[in-house]
Amino acid sequence: MAMLSALTFFSNYTIQQNISLVNTKATKNHEPRTLPKSSRTDKYNRQSIDVNVSDARKNHLLTESLISYVNYGDMDNALYLFEGMSKSDTFVWNVLIRGLTDNGFFREAVDLYYRMCFSGVRADKFTFPFVIKACGELCDLREGEKVHAKVYKVGLDFDVYICNALICMYAKVGDIECAERVFSKMQRRDLVSWNSMISAYAIIGDGWSSLLCIKKMQSVGIGHDKFTVLSSLKACSLLCSLIIGKEIHGQVIKSTFRSDVVVQTSLIDMYGKCGQVQYAQNLFNWIPQMSVITWNAMIGCYALNLHPLESFTCIRNMQASGLVHPDKITLINLLPSCAQVGALIPAKSIHGFAVRREFLPHLVLETTLVDMYGKLQELRLAKQVFDQMNMKNLISWNAIIAAYVQNGQSRQALKLFSDLINNHCVPDASTISSILPAYSDIASLREGKQIHGYNIKKEFSANNFITNSIIYMYARCGDLLIAQQIFDRMYNKDVISWNTIIMAYGIHGFGKESLKLFCRMRENDIEPNASTFISVLSSCSIAGLDEEGWKYFHLMKWEYGIDPQIEHYGSMLDLLGRKGDLEKAKKFIDEMSLPPTARIWGSLLSASRQHGNIELAEVAANHILSSAHDNTGCYILLSNMYAKAGRWEDVERIKGLMSEKGLAKTTGCSDIEINYKTIRFVNHDRSHLKTDKIYDVLAILLRWIGEELFVGLSKFNPVDLVRTRLNSPKCHSIRLAISYGLISVSVGKPIVIKKNVRICSDCHDAAKKISDITNREIVVGDSKIYHHFKDGKCSCKDYW
C-alpha cells in the first residue's frame, strides 16, 4: 500500500530515472538506531557540483543524489545531504520520510514529519501514507489519531492510498473499530483496500471476520491476488479451519502463484496450525529452493504439534544445507521444543547462540525465552531475562506471570500481576487466564470474586477458557455451588468446560455426581478426551468407586482409543491403594506401558502410609528421591511414618538428609475467611486477638469428642515423651481455625477452611466428631482434595 503511494507520488516528477521503487535496494527492518548529526564528514563530495551551475540544476542534482541514497538504504548520508539542501520543496521532505520509514526509523520519520509542519512546508497526499505507516509500526495510537485528524482537516480523508494506510495502522494498534469506520466511509475501494481490511481482521486474531470480508470482496466483483491468499490462509490458521484451508490450497494450485515460495510457506504454516503435520511435510519436501522463512515454518510446525525431536532434526538439516542460516524467528520457533523435552542444556545453548549473534534485545525472542525457562522450572533464569528486557509488552508480562504460576509461586505471580497494572498495562484475556490458577492455588474466595468481577466488567465472560478457569477457581476456593451455577449459565460448553466441572466435583469427593456429569456430557455429543478421563478416574479414586474406575479405564482404551498416560495410571493406583491391595499395586506398576514417574511412586507411597507398610513405603520413597531429589513431601511423609512407629533414629536420619539438601518442612497453616478478611492460623498459634476465646472453645470441643492429651504412650519410652508432646495435634492450626469459625460464622452456613498441606489423621478424626456434635458442616481443603465433614462423616470416606 505504501509502495503504491510512493510510485504514484514519484510519477509526478521529472527525474523518474533515479526513483524506481520497484528495483530499490533499501535495507528493510533495521533495528532503530541514532541518526548522525549534520556535522559528520560523509562520502558525498560537494565539490562535484559546479558552483556556476544554476540553482535549479544544483537542486535537481542534489535531489537525485538524495533519492539514490534513500533507495540504497544509506540514511546516514541521505540525512547529511538533506541538511544542506533547500527545504522548501515538499517532495524533498517526502523522499526522506519515505526513506526513514522503509528503513525502520519509524520514530525519526514521525519526528521529521512534525519538523516539516513546523517549517511551514505543506504535507500532501504522498506524505501521509508513510507517516501513518510509521505510527502503525510504532503501535502509537495517539500519534496515529493526530495524523488522522490532520488528514481530515486538509480534506484528504477520501484518498484511497491514505485510507489504506489508516486501515493498516489501526489494525496494528488493535483498534479494529476505527479501521472498519475508515473502510466503510471510503468512496472508492481498490484491491489493496480490501486486502488491508482482510489483513486487519487477521492481525487482531479475528479469522472469521477476515473470511467474511473475502466473501464480500468476491460478491462485489473484486478479484484476489497473492496477498489476499496469504491473509485468507492466516485466517484459516487462526480458526484451525482445515476444510477452508484445503479449498484455498486447491485455488492456489490452479493459480499463477502456485510455485510462489511465500504462498507455499503460508500453506505449511496453515497445515501446521491445523494439526496436519504430514500435509505440511509433503509441501515442504516439494519446494525446490527453500528460504530461511520456509525452514522456520516447518520447525514451528513440528514444535506446535509436539514433535520436538523432528524440530531439532529439521534445524540440523537446515544448517547442513549450508544455504541458509538460523535467524531470530528460527530460535523463536525452536525454543518451545526445548521445553517439551525438558532440554535445559540445549535451551541454554540456543540462548548463548542468540547472544553471540547479537539477536538480543528482541522483544519476541526474549519473551519466548522467559516462557521456555518457566516451563523448564528455571524461574531464576526466566526472571533474569525478564528483568533485562529493554522493552516489555503485555505478552512479556503474561509469560513471566504464567512462569510463576506454573511453578507453584502463586503469591509472587499475584505480585507481578499487581506490578503489571501499576505499569499501566491493561490485562487481556491471556493475562486473566494466566493469573486465575494463582487465585485457585491460594484459594481466597474474596480475591477470586474480585477477579471474577473484573472479567465481567471487561466482558471476558464469552471467552470459554477464562470461564472454565473461573469455574475451577471457585471449586478450589470451596464454593462448588457457584462453580455449578457458572457452568449452567455457559452458552457454549466445550469439552474443557465439562472436564472442569467433573474435576470440580471430584476434588470435593462427590464421585457419583462427577460420573453423572460425564454421562450428561456424552448425551450432549461431546466426545471425551484424555483430560476428561483424568477427571473421571480421579473422581473415582477420590470417592473410592472401584468398579466404576476400572470400567472407565477400559472404556477409555477400547471405545475411544486413548492410550493411558501417567495421570490415568496414577488414579488407578490410588484405587488399588485405597483397597489396601499393595502387592497388586506394585505389580500394576511393573506392568505399566510407561516408565513409572515420581507421580506413580508417590501414589504407592501414599497407599503404604495409609496402610502402615513401611517396607513398601521405603521402596517407593527411594524411587521418588532418585528421580526428584528435592521432593520435600516425600521426606516428610516417610519421617511421619517413622515417628508413628516410634523409629526416632530413622526420623533423625531423614532430617539429616533434608538438612544436607537444604530442604525444609513446609510450615502448616490454615486460612479461614470471615467478612471478606482472611485469618491465618499456624500450629499452637496465640497471635490472634481472640486467642483466649478460641482456646476456650477448643478445650470444650476436646472434652466433647473425648480426646485426651496423649494417646497410646505405651509405644514410646520416657525419652520420647518430650517429642510426643511437641508433636501433639491438640493445637494444630486446623483445630484453631475450626474453633474460630464456630464463633464467627453464622449458624447454618458451612465453615470453609483452606490448609496448605495435607490434613493429619488425628485432625481428620477430630473434624468428623466436631461436625457431628455441633451439627455444623465443616469444609476443609488441603493440598490434595476437599473434605466435607458432616454428621460425623467425611466425603473422602477416610482415604486421602
Side-chain angles (χ1 to χ4, degrees):
M1 179 275 300
M3 189 66 74
L4 291 174
S5 301
L7 288 172
T8 306
F9 168 62
F10 289 127
S11 66
N12 295 316
Y13 293 85
T14 58
I15 51 174
Q16 299 296 322
Q17 66 273 20
N18 295 316
I19 57 173
S20 175
L21 295 182
V22 176
N23 297 320
T24 182
K25 297 181 181 179
T27 305
K28 302 291 182 184
N29 298 324
H30 281 296
E31 294 290 338
R33 53 193 174 91
T34 304
L35 289 173
K37 297 184 182 298
S38 59
S39 59
R40 71 179 291 276
T41 303
D42 70 328
K43 294 179 289 185
Y44 180 73
N45 185 2
R46 284 175 291 176
Q47 299 300 322
S48 62
I49 301 177
D50 192 336
V51 295
N52 294 321
V53 178
S54 66
D55 290 342
R57 176 61 177 166
K58 185 190 296 184
N59 286 335
H60 177 75
L61 292 174
L62 289 171
T63 302
E64 286 182 333
S65 299
L66 179 66
I67 293 170
S68 296
Y69 283 139
V70 167
N71 285 348
Y72 282 92
D74 190 354
M75 297 309 299
D76 289 352
N77 286 307
L79 182 63
Y80 180 83
L81 182 62
F82 173 79
E83 294 297 346
M85 294 175 62
S86 171
K87 300 180 183 62
S88 59
D89 192 350
T90 301
F91 171 72
V92 174
W93 290 87
N94 287 349
V95 169
L96 193 58
I97 290 173
R98 188 261 296 182
L100 291 170
T101 302
D102 285 348
N103 287 278
F105 297 106
F106 306 118
R107 178 57 61 189
E108 289 79 1
V110 175
D111 291 343
L112 188 65
Y113 159 73
Y114 283 118
R115 183 181 166 191
M116 172 185 179
C117 295
F118 293 147
S119 299
V121 180
R122 184 181 179 85
D124 59 16
K125 65 179 181 179
F126 307 110
T127 312
F128 291 110
F130 295 108
V131 180
I132 294 168
K133 178 183 177 182
C135 293
E137 294 295 339
L138 290 169
C139 293
D140 194 333
L141 177 60
R142 185 178 179 184
E143 291 293 348
E145 289 176 333
K146 287 165 68 175
V147 176
H148 189 181
K150 183 69 173 179
V151 167
Y152 185 82
K153 184 177 180 179
V154 298
L156 293 174
D157 51 314
F158 293 110
D159 182 88
V160 65
Y161 301 112
I162 294 177
C163 288
N164 293 344
L166 285 168
I167 292 170
C168 292
M169 183 271 293
Y170 280 122
K172 286 184 177 179
V173 300
D175 194 341
I176 194 64
E177 289 82 6
C178 284
E180 290 174 329
R181 197 175 301 121
V182 171
F183 182 76
S184 64
K185 290 182 178 180
M186 292 180 69
Q187 295 179 346
R188 182 174 67 89
R189 303 183 186 117
D190 59 9
L191 179 57
V192 178
S193 309
W194 285 97
N195 283 344
S196 298
M197 199 63 229
I198 293 166
S199 177
Y201 285 120
I203 287 172
I204 66 164
D206 189 352
W208 185 249
S209 295
S210 185
L211 293 177
L212 285 178
C213 195
I214 294 172
K215 187 176 181 180
K216 290 178 183 178
M217 181 185 80
Q218 293 172 337
S219 67
V220 297
I222 303 292
H224 64 272
D225 64 0
K226 183 175 81 171
F227 300 103
T228 317
V229 172
L230 295 176
S231 295
S232 61
L233 287 173
K234 184 175 180 180
C236 293
S237 299
L238 292 168
L239 296 170
C240 295
S241 178
L242 182 61
I243 296 175
I244 300 177
K246 284 183 175 181
E247 291 178 359
I248 296 170
H249 189 182
Q251 294 176 6
V252 167
I253 293 173
K254 300 174 185 178
S255 67
T256 57
F257 39 83
R258 61 182 177 273
S259 300
D260 188 281
V261 175
V262 178
V263 174
Q264 296 296 324
T265 301
S266 294
L267 283 166
I268 291 172
D269 180 70
M270 182 273 295
Y271 280 123
K273 288 175 179 172
C274 290
Q276 300 296 315
V277 178
Q278 192 59 52
Y279 280 110
Q281 193 167 342
N282 292 341
L283 270 172
F284 179 78
N285 294 334
W286 182 81
I287 299 176
Q289 290 185 333
M290 290 174 285
S291 66
V292 65
I293 301 174
T294 311
W295 285 99
N296 291 346
M298 198 65 227
I299 292 169
C301 170
Y302 284 131
L304 183 65
N305 290 279
L306 305 180
H307 294 286
L309 299 182
E310 290 85 346
S311 183
F312 289 122
T313 301
C314 192
I315 192 170
R316 281 196 294 269
N317 293 338
M318 170 185 176
Q319 292 175 305
S321 70
L323 301 175
V324 293
H325 301 284
D327 62 6
K328 298 172 184 177
I329 307 302
T330 314
L331 305 190
I332 291 169
N333 289 349
L334 185 64
L335 283 170
S337 297
C338 297
Q340 291 164 17
V341 296
L344 179 60
I345 294 177
K348 288 182 176 180
S349 299
I350 295 171
H351 189 178
F353 178 81
V355 173
R356 290 193 302 274
R357 292 292 299 271
E358 298 183 350
F359 287 165
L360 303 175
H362 185 276
L363 180 61
V364 179
L365 180 54
E366 288 171 312
T367 300
T368 307
L369 284 167
V370 170
D371 179 70
M372 182 267 301
Y373 280 130
K375 290 176 179 174
L376 290 174
Q377 299 182 353
E378 291 290 336
L379 268 182
R380 181 183 61 82
L381 293 175
K383 190 64 164 63
Q384 183 177 332
V385 174
F386 180 78
D387 289 340
Q388 292 175 351
M389 292 176 68
N390 292 337
M391 182 174 65
K392 301 178 180 75
N393 64 3
L394 184 58
I395 300 173
S396 311
W397 282 99
N398 291 350
I400 192 64
I401 288 171
Y404 273 87
V405 173
Q406 290 161 4
N407 287 275
Q409 303 295 321
S410 298
R411 296 203 176 273
Q412 290 86 338
L414 292 173
K415 172 65 168 58
L416 284 167
F417 182 59
S418 177
D419 292 342
L420 177 152
I421 296 173
N422 292 335
N423 277 272
H424 307 293
C425 287
V426 179
D428 63 359
S430 297
T431 318
I432 301 303
S433 61
S434 296
I435 197 62
L436 271 171
Y439 286 98
S440 302
D441 187 49
I442 64 172
S444 171
L445 190 59
R446 173 177 57 85
E447 295 184 3
K449 286 182 176 179
Q450 288 178 352
I451 197 68
H452 187 193
Y454 182 85
N455 288 328
I456 295 173
K457 182 180 179 181
K458 293 295 182 181
E459 298 181 351
F460 290 150
S461 299
N463 186 309
N464 265 20
F465 189 88
I466 291 179
T467 305
N468 296 335
S469 297
I470 289 174
I471 292 171
Y472 184 71
M473 181 268 295
Y474 274 112
R476 288 296 299 167
C477 290
D479 201 329
L480 192 57
L481 178 61
I482 293 184
Q484 179 68 59
Q485 289 173 349
I486 295 172
F487 175 80
D488 292 338
R489 287 198 296 265
M490 288 184 70
Y491 178 73
N492 185 25
K493 302 179 181 72
D494 57 17
V495 65
I496 301 175
S497 309
W498 286 98
N499 293 351
T500 304
I501 195 65
I502 291 170
M503 178 60 79
Y505 275 91
I507 62 176
H508 281 262
F510 301 122
K512 291 184 179 179
E513 287 75 5
S514 289
L515 297 185
K516 289 179 182 178
L517 284 164
F518 177 66
C519 293
R520 279 180 54 197
M521 171 184 173
R522 297 172 70 189
E523 290 169 1
N524 282 272
D525 297 324
I526 304 293
E527 184 171 344
N529 57 19
S531 296
T532 311
F533 283 100
I534 290 176
S535 299
V536 170
L537 296 178
S538 296
S539 300
C540 291
S541 67
I542 292 170
L545 303 175
D546 183 68
E547 292 182 7
E548 293 85 346
W550 287 107
K551 170 189 171 182
Y552 289 115
F553 183 71
H554 296 306
L555 181 76
M556 172 184 72
K557 292 192 293 184
W558 303 121
E559 183 171 334
Y560 292 99
I562 299 172
D563 294 324
Q565 300 301 313
I566 288 297
E567 289 299 325
H568 301 117
Y569 284 121
S571 296
M572 301 316 295
L573 268 172
D574 289 339
L575 269 175
L576 289 171
R578 191 181 187 102
K579 290 180 63 179
D581 197 345
L582 301 183
E583 292 302 322
K584 187 175 180 180
K586 180 65 168 61
K587 183 180 178 182
F588 183 81
I589 294 175
D590 295 335
E591 294 176 351
M592 281 171 49
S593 61
L594 297 174
T597 63
R599 161 71 175 93
I600 296 300
W601 292 113
S603 294
L604 184 61
L605 178 60
S606 296
S608 302
R609 173 193 65 89
Q610 192 71 18
H611 296 285
N613 191 327
I614 293 181
E615 291 76 16
L616 199 56
E618 289 175 329
V619 172
N622 288 333
H623 281 285
I624 294 172
L625 298 178
S626 65
S627 59
H629 299 289
D630 59 347
N631 193 314
T632 308
C634 177
Y635 286 106
I636 298 300
L637 197 151
L638 198 58
S639 175
N640 290 342
M641 289 185 70
Y642 287 141
K644 191 172 183 180
R647 293 169 54 174
W648 295 105
E649 291 182 0
D650 289 319
V651 172
E652 295 301 328
R653 178 174 59 84
I654 294 295
K655 288 182 178 179
L657 289 173
M658 291 179 65
S659 179
E660 288 177 11
K661 298 180 182 297
L663 303 177
K665 181 179 179 179
T666 302
T667 302
C669 62
S670 300
D671 295 340
I672 181 170
E673 284 192 26
I674 305 294
N675 297 325
Y676 300 103
K677 185 178 180 181
T678 301
I679 310 298
R680 170 163 294 183
F681 293 93
V682 297
N683 294 347
H684 305 277
D685 198 335
R686 288 188 173 274
S687 62
H688 197 275
L689 292 175
K690 296 183 179 180
T691 292
D692 292 339
K693 193 171 184 179
I694 291 169
Y695 274 88
D696 288 342
V697 172
L698 179 59
I700 295 171
L701 291 174
L702 291 177
R703 286 198 301 272
W704 282 357
I705 65 177
E707 188 171 299
E708 298 180 10
L709 185 59
F710 300 113
V711 179
L713 287 178
S714 59
K715 70 171 70 173
F716 302 111
N717 59 48
V719 178
D720 300 324
L721 191 57
V722 175
R723 290 194 185 100
T724 309
R725 285 198 181 108
L726 290 175
N727 289 280
S728 169
K730 174 186 175 183
C731 300
H732 277 187
S733 63
I734 191 70
R735 303 188 187 209
L736 298 174
I738 290 173
S739 300
Y740 181 70
L742 287 170
I743 61 177
S744 304
V745 178
S746 302
V747 176
K749 291 185 178 181
I751 298 169
V752 181
I753 299 166
K754 176 63 178 164
K755 187 172 177 62
N756 66 332
V757 295
R758 287 192 182 187
I759 184 174
C760 71
S761 57
D762 293 303
C763 291
H764 190 273
D765 291 338
K768 288 195 300 180
K769 295 174 183 178
I770 293 171
S771 71
D772 186 29
I773 291 172
T774 61
N775 197 26
R776 297 289 295 271
E777 181 181 2
I778 301 170
V779 181
V780 178
D782 65 11
S783 59
K784 186 178 181 182
I785 63 171
Y786 268 85
H787 304 261
H788 289 251
F789 300 100
K790 191 174 183 179
D791 300 328
K793 297 178 182 179
C794 180
S795 59
C796 76
K797 298 178 182 177
D798 300 336
Y799 190 93
W800 70 100

